[in-house]
Amino acid sequence: MADAANQIPNRIPTNLVVNGVRRTLDLMPWTTLLDALRDHLELIGTKKGCDHGQCGACTVLVDGRRVNSCLTLAVMMDGAEITTVEGLARDGALHPLQQAFIDHDAFQCGYCTPGQICSAVGLLAEGRARDADEIRELMSGNLCRCGAYPHIVAAIQQVMGRP
Ligand code: FES
Ligand code: FES
């Protein structure tokens, strides 16, 4: 019994396609996707806020859908395509949402911003938000302690092309 309790689990080979690049990591089974990105791949754009699913700072896209990476075990994402804020720009041009956040001053300290932008990319892909109220509702999982919410909504509206 004591021997079993002292056994250290094996690391698990995990394949991820991160921002278009295939990466293979040997991870402990409890490693979150957030820690895999930040600590193993040095992609520190994705932020750790609460580390238990309440703030949205860790939002990334998994196969195009927004998820809280702090609540996601990396080994369960084997084979998935992960997009972080570092992977949004194309050919030296910012993603339209990144540009819109700049245009509208949609941040102050910036800590929540990568998660806000990744979440907004997911929101637009979902196609469910039609106006400012629906943007606020569907972005409610992403908190901003600086209170930049009106500017964040304006930035998203700019990219949606709707008032
Ligand atoms: S760090 Fe993941 S939701 Fe707060
Ligand atoms: S810009 Fe500071 S927390 Fe959102």
Side-chain angles (χ1 to χ4, degrees):
M1 191 71 181
D3 283 351
N6 288 330
Q7 277 185 354
I8 298 173
N10 290 332
R11 291 178 180 267
I12 300 173
T14 305
N15 295 298
L16 303 172
V17 179
V18 182
N19 299 330
V21 179
R22 182 171 297 279
R23 311 295 295 262
T24 300
L25 301 172
D26 288 322
L27 299 172
M28 298 307 266
W30 53 77
T31 304
T32 64
L33 179 59
L34 175 60
D35 287 342
L37 292 169
R38 288 182 57 86
D39 299 342
H40 294 258
L41 297 176
E42 298 181 357
L43 291 169
I44 57 173
T46 306
K47 299 296 186 251
K48 183 180 285 191
C50 63
D51 207 21
H52 52 268
Q54 295 187 342
C55 73
C58 64
T59 306
V60 298
L61 299 161
V62 175
D63 294 331
R65 298 181 60 187
R66 50 188 174 155
V67 303
N68 287 337
S69 59
C70 73
L71 292 185
T72 305
L73 293 176
V75 296
M76 295 179 68
M77 296 296 105
D78 190 47
E81 294 208 15
I82 315 295
T83 304
T84 70
V85 70
E86 291 94 341
L88 293 178
R90 283 281 177 276
D91 301 325
L94 293 177
H95 186 284
L97 274 163
Q98 291 175 306
Q99 186 60 54
F101 269 60
I102 293 170
D103 295 344
H104 289 272
D105 282 333
F107 46 82
Q108 290 181 37
C109 77
Y111 198 82
C112 73
T113 309
Q116 299 279 2
I117 291 175
C118 285
S119 189
V121 172
L123 173 82
L124 294 182
E126 292 159 17
R128 290 191 294 148
R130 290 161 300 182
D131 55 29
D133 282 345
E134 290 180 350
I135 292 172
R136 275 189 282 274
E137 172 67 22
L138 294 167
M139 289 291 294
S140 62
N142 290 83
L143 305 184
C144 175
R145 290 186 65 172
C146 299
Y149 296 113
H151 298 247
I152 291 169
V153 172
I156 296 170
Q157 285 179 295
Q158 174 176 304
V159 178
M160 280 174 56
R162 294 190 191 174

